[in-house]
Amino acid sequence: MKNNIRSERTRLELSQAGLGEQLGVSGDVVRNWENGTTPINKIQYLITMADLFKCSIDYLLGRTEDRILHGPVVSS
């Protein structure tokens, strides 16, 4: 599965270690997420990255090509 974590990280000029530091994980963990060899095991990591990168979690995970965060989903 292609993800967009690497492109967002590099867009902000963050190293893998720098992003890892902000998330409380090692740079090796970030590298494994980017390569798709290890799944992201906590939703909080995705939430924090989406907030940092100002994009949606679906974009980070490669589920959409639309990086713009459109706001909360309102259920009826």
Side-chain angles (χ1 to χ4, degrees):
M1 171 181 71
K2 176 189 178 289
N3 68 53
N4 293 308
I5 297 168
R6 178 178 288 123
S7 63
E8 289 300 301
R9 176 182 58 74
T10 57
R11 184 178 63 80
L12 293 184
E13 300 179 354
L14 282 171
S15 65
Q16 291 172 334
L19 177 57
E21 186 177 314
Q22 291 193 36
L23 298 171
V25 299
S26 71
D28 289 340
V29 169
V30 173
R31 184 187 71 239
N32 289 336
W33 291 342
E34 291 178 353
N35 293 335
T37 56
T38 304
I40 299 171
N41 62 357
K42 292 186 180 178
I43 189 70
Q44 189 58 48
Y45 297 143
L46 287 168
I47 292 168
T48 301
M49 283 190 284
D51 288 346
L52 176 67
F53 300 143
K54 298 192 179 2
C55 66
S56 71
I57 290 172
D58 280 345
Y59 176 76
L60 285 177
L61 295 176
R63 294 171 41 100
T64 182
E65 292 185 20
D66 186 5
R67 75 167 303 285
I68 304 299
L69 184 59
H70 295 284
V73 175
V74 178
S75 60
S76 15

